[in-house]
Amino acid sequence: MSCGNEGCHVTWSDNLGRKPAWGPLMGPRCESSSPLNSLRRMAPVIVLTSLLVCLVLYYTFPMGAAAVYEAYRKRLRIRGTQRRLPQALIIGVRKCGTRALIEMLNLHPHIQKNGLEMHFFDDDERYANGLEWYRKRMPYSFDNQVTIEKTPSYFISREAPARIRAMNETIKLLLIVREPAMRVLSDYAQIMEAKMRKGKQVAPFHKKVLTPDGEINDGFKAIQISQYAVHVLRWLREFPREQIHIIDGDNLVSDPFTEIDKVQQFLRLPLHIKPDNFYFNETKGFYCMRNETFQKCLTDAKGRPHPHVDPAVMSRLRKFFAPFNEQFYEMMGRNFGWPTS
């Protein structure tokens, strides 16, 4: 078995079973003493053992089997596959359901996801590594599969739209949004939880979103992110509207199939994902996924409870976002039912 930048390959030796060769000084050389030959002999056992582990995990703990399979899929190359630059990108928005979206799309056999947020197009140092560096970090895929990468911060990046267009001007872009004020609260909840785990103090929500004189604190990054019209304008300067598909993040929570079915059609994929691929988990309180081989729920960190907030503060936020919502509706040709001015 050999591993490199392009993954791992199992090599079978045809010298097994031959008589030992004679060396000029040492007499007969026993090939079995070579660590490489020992590894070659063990390769079939390693592969079969790995498959057995997956089967055991599947029948005892399906999520464990999925995790093992995912780890192997990233490194083992199947004949006929290659690493490709993504043909579709989930560009945002943070805290709107990007992780749920890519996991649900991964139910489709014609989708190959990159599970990591690459930050290639919004990080100058990573972008300087070049497209070949980026391509080698994509999963292996067949010709009929669509490779998808997600990095939510692409949406608010000034450089990302032009850089992505330079890579592929016909790429499909997926943008998931939710009601802006609730997105800010969800963003705050994640920040609060992360800081509390480190033993740090967190300012109350109203002190983060309001200035001392009671105005909206538009210097707070979470509020800037929710001004969708400001950011989407940069994307519309680089890409035609028909290359950007908008997913309603609030509807994805309550009716995932409806939103995922629209994405299947946008990506021009066979309509493989069906309503039966989603089931409501009463314990977690949200929809989980399943197909012929596994079932999966998002981690407990997803759908975390929000802190209690004074309704008057949320009302102030919604009033602030109203003109941005109206502009966003006009740009995208779709009304999400959020407050407008």
Side-chain angles (χ1 to χ4, degrees):
M1 179 181 291
S2 59
C3 294
N5 290 334
E6 290 294 313
C8 298
H9 304 267
V10 177
T11 305
W12 303 95
S13 173
D14 58 2
N15 293 322
L16 299 179
R18 290 185 180 180
K19 293 182 178 179
W22 287 79
L25 298 177
M26 303 293 293
R29 277 198 308 266
C30 181
E31 294 186 5
S32 63
S33 64
S34 166
L36 180 59
N37 283 323
S38 297
L39 180 60
R40 285 172 175 167
R41 290 189 178 94
M42 290 298 295
V45 177
I46 293 171
V47 172
L48 290 173
T49 302
S50 301
L51 292 174
L52 181 61
V53 169
C54 286
L55 287 172
V56 171
L57 282 172
Y58 175 75
Y59 285 106
T60 59
F61 183 42
M63 284 297 296
V68 171
Y69 168 75
E70 187 70 15
Y72 272 90
R73 187 177 64 82
K74 290 178 180 178
R75 294 297 295 164
L76 293 178
R77 180 177 181 180
I78 300 173
R79 185 182 299 274
T81 64
Q82 62 179 318
R83 298 187 192 272
R84 310 168 200 271
L85 290 169
Q87 300 102 312
L89 287 173
I90 299 175
I91 59 174
V93 178
R94 169 183 162 88
K95 305 312 303 171
C96 288
T98 57
R99 171 56 58 188
L101 176 60
I102 198 169
E103 294 296 342
M104 289 175 180
L105 289 175
N106 199 48
L107 291 167
H108 202 295
H110 290 191
I111 292 285
Q112 279 287 19
K113 68 165 185 175
N114 186 324
L116 301 176
E117 295 182 3
M118 292 302 301
H119 292 278
F120 179 70
F121 297 104
D122 65 337
D123 184 296
D124 291 342
E125 290 186 8
R126 291 195 174 194
Y127 189 69
N129 290 323
L131 285 175
E132 184 63 9
W133 179 91
Y134 181 54
R135 183 190 68 81
K136 288 181 178 180
R137 280 149 183 81
M138 294 298 112
Y140 288 106
S141 62
F142 290 100
D143 291 341
N144 66 343
Q145 291 181 310
V146 174
T147 299
I148 294 184
E149 189 247 310
K150 100 171 172 72
T151 300
S153 56
Y154 288 162
F155 180 61
I156 63 172
S157 167
R158 294 182 180 276
E159 295 79 18
R163 288 173 174 177
I164 292 170
R165 185 177 186 277
M167 176 189 71
N168 181 1
E169 63 181 13
T170 64
I171 195 167
K172 303 281 189 176
L173 303 174
L174 302 175
L175 178 65
I176 181 168
V177 296
R178 62 185 298 199
E179 196 274 309
M182 287 302 295
R183 197 217 66 82
V184 173
L185 181 56
S186 183
D187 207 337
Y188 170 82
Q190 179 171 335
I191 295 169
M192 179 183 70
E193 183 179 282
K195 288 188 175 182
M196 289 180 67
R197 280 201 305 265
K198 297 177 182 179
K200 297 181 179 180
Q201 295 293 322
V202 184
F205 182 74
H206 69 276
K207 288 189 176 182
K208 297 292 289 185
V209 302
L210 299 176
T211 63
D213 59 357
E215 298 299 320
I216 296 296
N217 178 16
D218 58 2
F220 184 32
K221 188 174 181 179
I223 290 179
Q224 295 173 352
I225 294 173
S226 283
Q227 298 172 27
Y228 303 144
V230 174
H231 308 294
V232 81
L233 182 60
R234 288 192 290 269
W235 293 91
L236 291 174
R237 287 170 179 163
E238 301 292 340
F239 296 96
R241 171 65 183 88
E242 56 268 21
Q243 278 180 236
I244 305 174
H245 179 74
I246 311 295
I247 298 97
D248 185 334
D250 295 313
N251 197 43
L252 186 71
V253 173
S254 60
D255 184 12
F257 171 72
T258 298
E259 293 297 327
I260 295 300
D261 191 45
K262 293 175 184 176
V263 177
Q264 289 184 113
Q265 297 177 51
F266 173 71
L267 296 177
R268 297 182 179 179
L269 296 174
L271 303 182
H272 180 85
I273 300 177
K274 306 294 183 183
D276 289 345
N277 290 120
F278 305 98
Y279 68 96
F280 190 79
N281 187 304
E282 296 288 349
T283 303
K284 291 182 174 291
F286 52 77
Y287 280 89
C288 297
M289 301 149 274
R290 62 188 172 198
N291 62 15
E292 296 84 355
T293 59
F294 76 97
Q295 59 185 26
K296 182 174 185 177
C297 289
L298 298 179
T299 64
D300 291 337
K302 302 301 179 182
R304 62 172 58 84
H306 294 162
H308 174 73
V309 175
D310 185 347
V313 175
M314 295 300 292
S315 180
R316 290 286 305 278
L317 272 177
R318 291 189 172 98
K319 185 176 180 181
F320 171 81
F321 286 124
F324 296 102
N325 296 343
E326 191 168 353
Q327 293 173 25
F328 184 65
Y329 294 168
E330 292 176 1
M331 291 176 181
M332 307 313 290
R334 182 175 175 183
N335 188 318
F336 290 88
W338 310 327
T340 56
S341 56

